[in-house]
Structure formats: structure tokens, C-alpha cells
Amino acid sequence: MCRSIKTLRPPVMPEVEDEDIRAAALQYVRKVSGFRAPAAHNKEAFDAAVEAVAEATRTLLDELVVKGAPKAGVPG
């Protein structure tokens, strides 16, 4: 689907920054909407979707349990 979206979970990326999550969310919304950048009348909906996807992504990454990967804040 979105080949430019990287895997963000450990151990592939042990440290994930908010910028990484937002970039993935933006790529997802661009792909789903079919627009690289929204028209002015769609900007609010587009931006809200990016924020919602970023929030859902952060929640997912925070709650995933990956066997063999160190937990956040716990030395590996």
C-alpha cells in the first residue's frame, strides 16, 4: 500500500520520535485520500485525519508487546 511508510515498532526502530509517527500518518492520509496536499476547502479534514492517525499510531506502538524486544524505559 504505502511503500514509503517504515516499520516503527521495536526492534526495527527502538526509538520512535513524534516526527516519525507524524510522517507515517501523513503518508497514510495522502495515500487514502489520493491527494498529496489538500485543497483549501479540505485542509481542515485532511489535517484532522493526520492527527487522528498519528494519535492512533502512538497508542498502538505504546501498547504493542513484541517478544524479545526491550520494553520502553527498561535497559535492554
Side-chain angles (χ1 to χ4, degrees):
M1 182 181 141
C2 294
R3 292 186 180 124
S4 59
I5 295 177
K6 300 176 195 170
T7 300
L8 298 179
R9 69 163 175 78
V12 177
M13 281 191 68
E15 295 294 323
V16 179
E17 303 293 327
D18 288 339
E19 298 85 37
D20 299 318
I21 291 173
R22 188 165 195 305
L26 178 60
Q27 288 291 49
Y28 176 80
V29 171
R30 284 176 172 169
K31 185 68 169 186
V32 170
S33 70
F35 297 113
R36 177 156 171 46
H41 63 277
N42 288 325
K43 185 167 178 16
E44 188 175 330
F46 190 92
D47 291 345
V50 170
E51 292 309 313
V53 171
E55 184 177 330
T57 300
R58 172 52 74 193
T59 299
L60 173 65
L61 292 174
D62 287 347
E63 294 179 5
L64 278 178
V65 176
V66 180
K67 293 184 179 185
K71 293 185 179 187
V74 177

